[in-house]
Amino acid sequence: MDAEDGYVEVFKIDYCPLSGIPTLNLILSGTVDRLLLDAVFERYQALLQAAAAADQL
């Protein structure tokens, strides 16, 4: 995710074999809109949880 004066970099992804949900480890640099970042990850969190629940069926 690019910002005007900064960026968000995913440098590592941990994976939980029990839930199937990944955990992203991020580096934030410069000026990043935290509210926008939170909204993006809230949306993806819901999608990941739905995908993990469907995989468990």
Side-chain angles (χ1 to χ4, degrees):
M1 178 175 158
D2 289 321
E4 188 172 313
D5 295 321
Y7 64 91
V8 176
E9 178 181 347
V10 177
F11 72 93
K12 180 180 176 185
I13 300 174
D14 292 319
Y15 175 78
C16 177
L18 297 177
S19 67
I21 297 175
T23 299
L24 304 177
N25 297 278
L26 307 175
I27 296 173
L28 304 179
S29 175
T31 304
V32 175
D33 184 344
R34 296 296 300 255
L35 293 176
L36 176 60
L37 184 62
D38 288 345
V40 167
F41 282 111
E42 282 180 19
R43 174 69 179 138
Y44 281 103
Q45 178 182 4
L47 292 172
L48 290 169
Q49 288 173 335
D55 190 45
Q56 302 267 332
L57 297 176

